[in-house]
Amino acid sequence: MPADLSATEALGLFHRVTLEQVRQDGPDLSLRQLALLLHIYLVPPPHTVRGLAAALGVTKPVITRALDTMGAMQLVDRARDERDRRNVIIKRTVTGALYLERLGDLVRNEARRPMP
């Protein structure tokens, strides 16, 4: 889907989307948590803490803290890898999938609105 937006228009779209998310009564994710959630749902699994840390260019404790928060919101789940108990596999949840579906709809709807 090609989009021919200027930098200012792209930032305006991002602004409208983030404002609408703040106005809604849902999880309030940091950019790091949102990037992590998008990676988990858009990149094919399996996902491990180590792999996510490498993909995002942050440390494993940073990923663990983000996963703690997102796990409490039921956006992701964790389970020990049965083949290698040292690894923790990050799993998608229905709640997380619905959150991102609503976010995708919001982005699409805001992109269709005329610029102010």
Side-chain angles (χ1 to χ4, degrees), residues 32-47:
R32 179 175 287 145
Q33 292 165 342
L34 183 57
L36 181 57
L37 189 64
L38 286 166
H39 188 85
I40 291 167
Y41 281 81
L42 297 176
V43 175
H47 298 290

Side-chain angles (χ1 to χ4, degrees), residues 54-107:
L56 271 70
V58 297
T59 64
K60 291 189 296 184
V62 166
I63 297 296
T64 299
R65 283 191 302 273
L67 291 173
D68 287 345
T69 300
M70 295 186 320
M73 295 176 187
Q74 299 180 337
L75 299 173
V76 296
D77 197 10
R78 291 183 267 196
R80 284 275 172 204
D81 185 349
E82 291 302 320
R83 291 175 289 176
D84 184 347
R85 303 280 302 157
R86 296 171 295 178
N87 286 329
V88 175
I89 301 295
I90 312 310
K91 298 184 175 210
R92 301 167 179 171
T93 65
V94 171
T95 302
L98 291 172
Y99 174 85
L100 287 178
E101 184 176 334
R102 285 189 300 272
L103 178 59
D105 289 342
L106 176 60
V107 171

